[in-house]
Amino acid sequence: MAECLSATAEATEKAGAAIREGRLVAFPTETVYGLGADATNDAAVASIFEAKGRPRFNPLIVHVASVQAAEEHVVFNADAETLARAFWPGGLTLVLPRRADTPLSLLVSAGLDTVAIRVPAHETAKALLDAAKRPIAAPSANPSGRVSPTTAAHVVEGLGDAPQLAYVLDGGACPLGLESTVIGFPEGIPTLLRPGAVAREEIERVLGKRLADANAASGEAGRASPGQLESHYAPGSALRLDADTVEADEVLLAFGPRAPDAETSMNLSPSGDLKEAAANLFAMLRALDAKAGGRRIAVMPIPDEGLGEAINDRLKRAAAPRG
Ligand code: TXA
Ligand code: MG
């Protein structure tokens, strides 16, 4: 049973030592809670897959303390440098070619010649990186295929019994609540591999050009983000999207001021604010799932702009037929 510790300086030191010993630590980032391991230790990285019950090896995001630290592991191009300067530390992940001399485990790349890397902004994540003195590989800290955790309690609920997990560092609720945006550069073209915490429009403004879409790009780009292809982020209940009304056998996930009446409902943002909705999405999906008791979750339409693109991406995955 993992120990849940309030993220004090002392607890963070203990957790950093556990990472160096090859054990797992769940920790808060500004996006979601991560399940972290020493990214240079093959066995430790393998135990992430074991703890999550992942059906196969997906490539993982490596977290580092600074741009300089990232440069030890991957080769930047000019657009990637621009994006790192603008958005790090923060909720943006860059997929870049591995350096030949990086000590990173090959397992973090899952057979690809690239590494997904980011510099997190959350104080606890930064303190853990300092304490561990290692790059930290971390997927979201949930069992495979389930909704990402945005509180320490969510982590304990899903992975508390995983023997590989030494500590859960409790740093409160994640402020952004959605996973990082993942940008890759297939054939040198900046491409949105996963919509997330940083909106496409913000990235395009900084780059001064449009992002290509992974789905519209070649099969290569599609395969380059394997986590993107399946039903994912799934709650136990069925979902019905773009719902303007609520049926008798449904609970409601509402958005905005004009929510229909429902016996059981939660509102992502009564004022229609997409940032607030992103922060509430996973926690409210969990809470409604727990209350649904076999009823379907009807979800009101969310505008597909700004953070709405990432919210709609997660909702579509949650609603997709289960494989
Ligand atoms: O916000 C986040 O990104 C959180 C926190 C903990 O940092 N992490 C996270 O990791 O969401 P995970 O493993 O649940 O999602 C990683 C995503 C997947 O869509 C995966 O396919 C993609 O990043 N990815 C990782 N490495 C890649 C690579 N080398 N090439 C292409 N896509 C990659
Ligand atoms: Mg995940």
Side-chain angles (χ1 to χ4, degrees):
M1 183 75 197
E3 212 182 323
C4 191
L5 303 174
S6 174
T8 60
E10 192 191 356
T12 308
E13 279 305 322
K14 262 166 89 167
I19 294 272
R20 278 199 303 281
E21 286 159 18
R23 304 177 69 200
L24 303 185
V25 171
F27 63 99
T29 80
E30 65 278 27
T31 59
V32 300
Y33 273 72
L35 179 63
D38 176 354
T40 65
N41 177 331
D42 291 322
V45 175
S47 70
I48 290 177
F49 295 106
E50 203 176 39
K52 284 188 63 117
R54 274 203 175 168
R56 56 193 172 77
F57 293 156
N58 289 329
L60 302 175
I61 296 173
V62 174
H63 301 70
V64 292
S66 64
V67 180
Q68 294 89 308
E71 282 168 347
E72 292 171 28
H73 304 296
V74 294
V75 183
F76 281 76
N77 58 50
D79 285 338
E81 261 167 38
T82 303
L83 292 176
R85 258 202 309 278
F87 295 108
W88 285 358
L92 181 80
T93 295
L94 298 173
V95 175
L96 294 167
R98 287 176 72 100
R99 288 182 64 107
D101 57 354
T102 173
L104 291 178
S105 165
L106 285 169
L107 208 43
V108 302
S109 298
L112 303 168
D113 51 13
T114 51
V115 172
I117 198 158
R118 81 177 181 99
V119 177
H122 196 287
E123 288 307 323
T124 304
K126 294 201 303 199
L128 181 64
L129 283 165
D130 286 345
K133 302 181 185 66
R134 297 280 195 283
I136 296 179
S140 51
N142 51 283
S144 182
R146 311 308 294 190
V147 174
S148 292
T150 57
T151 66
H154 295 160
V155 178
V156 171
E157 190 187 309
L159 293 175
D161 291 331
Q164 303 86 353
L165 181 58
Y167 301 110
V168 179
L169 282 180
D170 186 349
C174 300
L176 301 177
L178 263 185
E179 297 91 341
S180 61
T181 302
V182 182
I183 302 288
F185 302 88
E187 281 145 47
I189 298 162
T191 302
L192 182 63
L193 299 180
R194 177 177 74 177
V198 179
R200 169 204 292 273
E201 294 88 336
E202 276 185 70
I203 298 168
E204 292 179 339
R205 203 177 316 124
V206 165
L207 279 181
K209 58 184 157 194
R210 303 295 300 271
L211 287 170
D213 280 305
N215 304 338
S218 65
E220 193 58 43
R223 271 203 308 284
S225 199
Q228 285 305 91
L229 299 174
E230 305 134 37
S231 125
H232 210 188
Y233 308 101
S237 316
L239 263 72
R240 182 169 69 89
L241 303 184
D242 291 321
D244 291 313
T245 57
V246 192
E247 316 278 317
D249 61 344
E250 290 179 334
V251 299
L252 176 67
L253 185 60
F255 175 81
R258 277 176 291 279
D261 281 332
E263 199 181 284
T264 306
S265 78
M266 300 187 89
N267 198 319
L268 288 168
S269 171
S271 68
D273 179 58
L274 288 167
K275 193 164 171 201
E276 182 184 24
N280 284 331
L281 177 66
F282 290 136
M284 287 190 177
L285 272 177
R286 277 170 193 270
L288 277 179
D289 203 22
K291 291 182 191 168
R295 288 175 291 176
R296 193 162 57 179
I297 303 175
V299 185
M300 285 179 70
I302 316 279
D304 206 36
E305 70 205 15
L307 291 180
E309 184 177 6
I311 295 171
N312 284 323
D313 171 78
R314 301 307 186 274
L315 286 169
K316 270 186 215 126
R317 275 169 222 290
R322 311 290 150 78

